[in-house]
Amino acid sequence: QVQLVESGGGLVQAGGSLRLACAASGSIFSINAMGWYRQAPGKERELVATITSGGSTNYGDSVKGRFTISRDNVKITVYLQMNSLKPEDTAVYYCNLKSFGYNYWGQGTQVTVSS
């Protein structure tokens, strides 16, 4: 069993910054990638950013140049630094871990950006 615990969400004004963290624990034998997805009301869940075990990153088009994903392999934690936030970034942000073809999800953390 794998547990993902997110932290760092909240309310911020447009142009501000937030940093999300996701700590993984449990029966983790191999991690292919960790990352973040988000879902706004009435919309489908979408990719925000992922990072592989080798350090390769991938970003959704809407966040490129503003968000940065990183990871601490010792702590099995992934971070998402979000800068220049916009109201359209408002969503529930979910941590994701991929291992042996399985997807594990966190409970989600709310990010609200006011205009």
Side-chain angles (χ1 to χ4, degrees):
Q1 191 76 354
V2 174
Q3 294 83 40
L4 301 174
V5 178
E6 299 124 332
S7 60
L11 173 65
V12 65
Q13 288 188 331
S17 299
L18 282 175
R19 189 189 193 213
L20 305 183
C22 172
S25 63
S27 302
I28 304 171
F29 300 103
S30 178
I31 298 174
N32 300 120
M34 293 184 71
W36 295 91
Y37 292 73
R38 68 186 183 187
Q39 188 166 18
K43 295 187 177 181
E44 294 186 352
R45 191 170 296 189
E46 65 173 0
L47 167 72
V48 177
T50 60
I51 184 167
T52 69
S53 57
S56 297
T57 58
N58 184 40
Y59 293 92
D61 288 341
S62 62
V63 307
K64 286 180 181 177
R66 300 188 297 123
F67 292 9
T68 302
I69 190 170
S70 60
R71 65 188 285 175
D72 183 327
N73 289 331
V74 174
K75 295 181 179 179
I76 318 180
T77 299
V78 64
Y79 304 96
L80 185 68
Q81 179 65 44
M82 304 185 293
N83 298 328
S84 302
L85 282 161
K86 305 175 181 179
E88 49 264 44
D89 294 318
T90 295
V92 177
Y93 284 69
Y94 294 93
C95 179
N96 172 266
L97 184 153
K98 291 180 171 59
S99 176
F100 292 118
Y102 287 95
N103 277 295
Y104 299 93
W105 295 95
Q107 80 284 357
T109 185
Q110 177 70 45
V111 171
T112 302
V113 184
S114 63
S115 57

